[in-house]
């Protein structure tokens, strides 16, 4: 058992997750989660995070709360854009937080040194430190969810870029005359392969009368067909769901081939519920990548599902605190 | 005047360029060039490079050849793929060299320590060290020529990637159902915006009977319309040439927006003859980038033409030798 701990805090648009990560690496203990919208804004969230941290310390390190003495710091992941130098959330529109000095407020609330990075970078670092990326030096992580994000590690170092948005691959154009994206442009990767857009493509076929069980799986309401419904349909052997998944795989393959050509990493790690489709996703995805990426770059790169679906963010936030302290 | 020099060698598919770069940085002296195909293969090239180096030393450092004593090493740039660890050219198909131990053969021929990197990385490092990238920490260079290549510098370090192909942006898919590329795939950036493909797009319109002076500029033979003809047409005020350039700018804008989203550099530097079109290229290109890239990433990134059109490769190869030596 480790003697010292780092509190990992993973702030997402849906949920805030808090847990204690051992300094030497390992699964977080005392995990606590809470729905973000019910926290009452940024100041409210700071209070709730303090309470969740207290609970985590009690559960993991003993009921008297003395365990706090062994918590050496706090790593926080938060949707961006952030000002990493000043520790400020500039404009996280899915949180509704703007110009909020998150690092300082949490440092006051928790009385510990704090590191802050964006959520996708934390998840990337978590997978690199203790997950699917652990055997590799250079890793790109692609996070598939409501949006598509990501992070880049080159030779063990997180690439932040000039404004902290390196690795944000969701709005990569893969078809410049293509599908309209919520961002206003056309043909972004996210316009095809985010969760809501997988669902949208599936609904389009169902509305056009294609033969499929997806409508039944969604309880008869076409608007209830989600990306998860598509995954369910794939597992149940529905051929239209398989077709939507195949198209998703090919489109992700295009985006990942681009990433491989530009960054030439040892591994691309895909994180998100859609990876539950397993071979139905990864086999055609790898085949599309093989078709499109440089042979030498493709041959050098493993494409793998993440191993820490729930906790990569908490683990990576804590890991980045340790790295910041060491470096 | 510097006391010590590095021989820079820039091996390209068309030309080999050799020159002496002062250790403290500066324009190369004693520049010598020779057509690559007339060199007689890889072994022939090593001999010619030795001869060109001798001439450069005599011209720059004195007629007795004693200047060689002040040449501390050799930096070489060569088309890849390369095995950087072993210093081997694996398969440079536009040179016709395969599995050739270039570093060792040049080290014997020149009796100096040698560093080797791929040509696009050398050009990138040249622009970063002494050219348009000098004010910045993180730079992506895009080289537009017969093909489209590039290189990436993050926080002052060249990113090689797992197999030395990081930054090779030419085969990034920008339209996955788009134009056939020579690589066999569809919709690669290079299929639209390389020199030959700019020419091809221009010829398609001329063949279809569009009103343009391009045919006259090419001496009446449509197959003689090149990318340079298009640039000439733009300068001469031909509206069809301007249209082809505008389309080129927009397509490059898509690719560069993707690069900015993924890498988030301080600057993207565009190198190649097409940059002579100046504002006719850069104004619509920047506007397309603004439309497509993340606001914060776009705002943090300058898009600039290279400042060392002929010598970035020689300078960068020499600079990388110094950097390798320094550790």
């Amino acid at each position: 058992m480790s003697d010292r701990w780092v509190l990992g805090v993973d702030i997402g648009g849906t949920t805030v997750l808090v847990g204690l990560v051992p300094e030497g690496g390992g699964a977080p203990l005392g995990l606590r989660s809470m729905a973000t919208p019910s926290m009452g804004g940024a100041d409210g969230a700071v209070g709730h995070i303090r309470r969740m941290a207290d609970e985590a310390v009690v559960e993991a390190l003993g009921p008297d709360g003395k365990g706090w003495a062994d918590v050496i710091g706090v790593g926080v992941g938060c949707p961006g854009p952030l000002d990493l130098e000043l520790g400020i959330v500039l404009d996280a529109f899915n949180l509704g937080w703007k110009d909020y000095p998150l690092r300082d407020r949490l440092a006051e609330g928790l009385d510990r040194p704090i590191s802050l990075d964006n959520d996708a970078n934390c998840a990337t670092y978590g997978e690199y430190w203790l997950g699917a990326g652990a055997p590799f030096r250079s890793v790109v992580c692609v996070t598939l969810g409501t949006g598509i994000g990501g992070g880049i590690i080159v030779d063990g170092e997180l690439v932040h870029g000039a404004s902290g948005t390196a690795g944000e691959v969701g709005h990569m154009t893969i078809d410049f005359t293509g599908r309209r994206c919520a961002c206003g442009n056309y043909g972004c990767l996210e316009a095809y392969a985010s969760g809501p857009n997988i669902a949208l493509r599936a609904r389009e076929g169902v509305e056009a009368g294609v033969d499929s069980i997806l409508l039944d799986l969604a309880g008869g309401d076409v608007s209830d067909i989600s990306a998860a419904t598509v995954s369910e349909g794939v597992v149940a052997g529905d051929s239209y769901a398989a077709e939507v998944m195949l198209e998703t795989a090919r489109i992700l393959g295009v985006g990942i081939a681009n990433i491989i050509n530009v960054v030439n990493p040892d591994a691309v790690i895909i994180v998100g519920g859609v990876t539950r489709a397993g071979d139905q996703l990864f086999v055609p995805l790898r085949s599309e990548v093989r078709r499109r990426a440089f042979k030498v770059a493709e041959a050098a790169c493993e494409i793998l599902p993440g191993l820490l679906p729930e906790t990569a963010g908490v683990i990576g936030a804590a890991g980045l605190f340790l790295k910041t302290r060491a470096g």
Side-chain angles (χ1 to χ4, degrees), chain A:
Chain A
M1 179 69 92
S2 178
D3 285 342
R4 305 212 298 174
W5 305 80
V6 178
L7 188 75
V9 179
D10 181 14
I11 301 173
T14 313
T15 305
V16 173
L17 192 65
V18 168
L20 288 160
V21 178
E23 189 183 16
L29 299 188
L31 279 173
R32 287 289 177 282
S33 71
M34 184 173 172
T36 316
S38 63
M39 284 186 155
D43 278 325
V46 168
H48 283 293
I49 289 168
R50 167 75 212 203
R51 182 186 51 73
M52 291 158 80
D54 279 332
E55 290 174 13
V57 167
V58 165
E59 179 182 309
L61 310 179
D64 56 6
K66 286 189 184 161
W68 264 114
D70 296 324
V71 179
I72 59 177
V74 183
V76 181
C78 182
L82 311 172
D83 183 322
L84 293 178
E85 212 159 307
L86 300 177
I88 289 173
V89 180
L90 295 175
D91 190 7
F93 65 89
N94 55 349
L95 297 175
W97 302 1
K98 209 170 166 167
D99 298 325
Y100 186 75
L102 180 64
R103 193 180 57 198
D104 289 352
R105 294 294 159 83
L106 276 174
E108 290 161 23
L110 295 163
D111 197 23
R112 292 289 180 290
I114 308 250
S115 73
L116 175 67
D117 213 318
N118 82 52
D119 49 353
N121 283 350
C122 289
T124 300
Y125 195 77
E127 288 287 353
Y128 169 75
W129 185 28
L130 298 176
F136 306 107
R137 292 280 302 155
S138 294
V139 164
V140 177
C141 191
V142 178
T143 58
L144 303 173
T146 310
I148 295 181
I152 302 175
I153 288 171
V154 170
D155 292 334
E157 296 295 326
L158 202 51
V159 176
H160 283 101
S163 49
T165 62
E168 292 297 335
V169 299
H171 298 281
M172 170 191 289
T173 301
I174 56 165
D175 181 359
F176 66 91
T177 58
R179 228 179 155 90
R180 181 89 189 215
C181 182
C183 76
N185 281 316
Y186 294 87
C188 300
L189 181 58
E190 186 168 305
Y192 300 84
S194 69
N197 283 305
I198 293 171
L200 185 64
R201 286 189 292 110
R203 289 199 294 264
E204 285 172 356
V206 170
E207 277 163 354
V210 76
D211 184 31
S212 165
I213 63 166
L214 289 180
L215 193 58
D216 290 340
L217 288 176
D221 185 346
V222 72
S223 68
D224 283 344
I225 294 175
S226 68
T229 320
V230 176
S231 293
E232 261 186 88
V234 168
V235 171
D238 182 62
S239 68
Y240 175 65
E243 199 183 297
V244 172
M245 186 58 71
L246 180 65
E247 196 188 16
T248 305
R250 290 214 171 122
I251 283 162
L252 285 171
V254 172
I256 288 167
N258 283 354
I259 291 168
I260 290 173
N261 279 354
V262 174
V263 182
N264 189 196
D266 298 307
V268 172
I269 296 164
I270 304 175
V271 172
V274 70
T275 62
R276 282 195 292 265
D279 281 357
Q280 299 245 29
L281 177 73
F282 281 91
V283 169
L285 189 162
R286 290 192 185 104
S287 142
E288 186 71 29
V289 169
R290 225 168 358 253
R291 216 162 74 82
R292 292 197 174 263
F294 275 120
K295 294 280 164 297
V296 289
E298 183 274 318
C301 185
E302 306 250 12
I303 301 171
L304 302 166
L307 292 178
L308 309 167
E310 306 298 330
T311 56
V314 164
I315 290 173
L320 283 170
F321 171 82
L322 291 166
K323 189 169 167 59
T324 311
R325 241 171 77 101

